Amino acid sequence: MAQRRKRPAVDVKVAYEKGGKVFARIKIGSPWLAAGIAGVSAVAVLYRENPEGVRTAVTNTLADFGEVLGVRRGSVLVDVRFHTKERFLAFMDAVAAGTVKQKLQERFSKLGLKVKLELTVTVYESASQMG
């Protein structure tokens, strides 16, 4: 029987813009719905049903680290600008410790979503690379 490999919780490609700013896209996902809509994550369904609630939960969670530039579908994709390398590193420490994921899960739970989240972080050299 083939053993499934576990996806890494965070996939990071580090690059910094001149002036010390760091741009990142955070993908917030969840396991696929076991029943109901095939191929759609529970986070994507929550976003479709309550986009403002999701935006508020994400913005409040990330406010201590950086500026949320946008929140959009694709599970939930969050574009963030960290104004200093230190704020970015503090964010990455919080991701590694599970703090960011825990806070997101708590806030999403208040919106009615009680699932385990998966985070993926991609770092860009500039906002223009985020496309």
Side-chain angles (χ1 to χ4, degrees):
M1 182 176 201
Q3 192 175 24
R4 286 181 50 195
R5 286 180 34 162
K6 203 171 186 183
R7 285 183 7 186
V10 180
D11 176 19
V12 180
K13 300 171 190 167
V14 178
Y16 302 98
E17 184 178 72
K18 291 179 182 172
K21 292 181 182 161
V22 180
F23 294 88
R25 176 166 292 144
I26 303 165
K27 181 178 181 183
I28 304 169
S30 62
W32 301 109
L33 291 174
I37 306 168
V40 177
S41 79
V43 173
V45 171
L46 176 64
Y47 183 82
R48 187 176 61 226
E49 293 174 356
N50 188 352
E52 275 309 307
V54 170
R55 284 187 195 106
T56 299
V58 168
T59 300
N60 290 343
T61 300
L62 301 176
D64 289 341
F65 304 106
E67 175 185 356
V68 173
L69 302 175
V71 178
R72 54 195 167 103
R73 277 187 221 174
S75 283
V76 171
L77 297 176
V78 183
D79 294 333
V80 181
R81 175 175 44 213
F82 301 91
H83 293 284
T84 66
K85 180 180 171 183
E86 290 75 26
R87 292 295 2 147
F88 168 70
L89 294 174
F91 167 75
M92 292 306 298
D93 286 345
V95 168
T99 307
V100 172
K101 187 172 159 179
Q102 178 184 355
K103 286 182 180 179
L104 284 169
Q105 285 183 184
E106 288 170 3
R107 288 189 167 117
F108 284 0
S109 178
K110 290 177 183 175
L111 298 175
L113 182 69
K114 295 174 178 24
V115 298
K116 188 173 181 178
L117 298 177
E118 298 171 354
L119 299 182
T120 305
V121 179
T122 306
V123 182
Y124 296 87
E125 288 183 25
S126 67
S128 64
Q129 286 185 333
M130 295 168 92

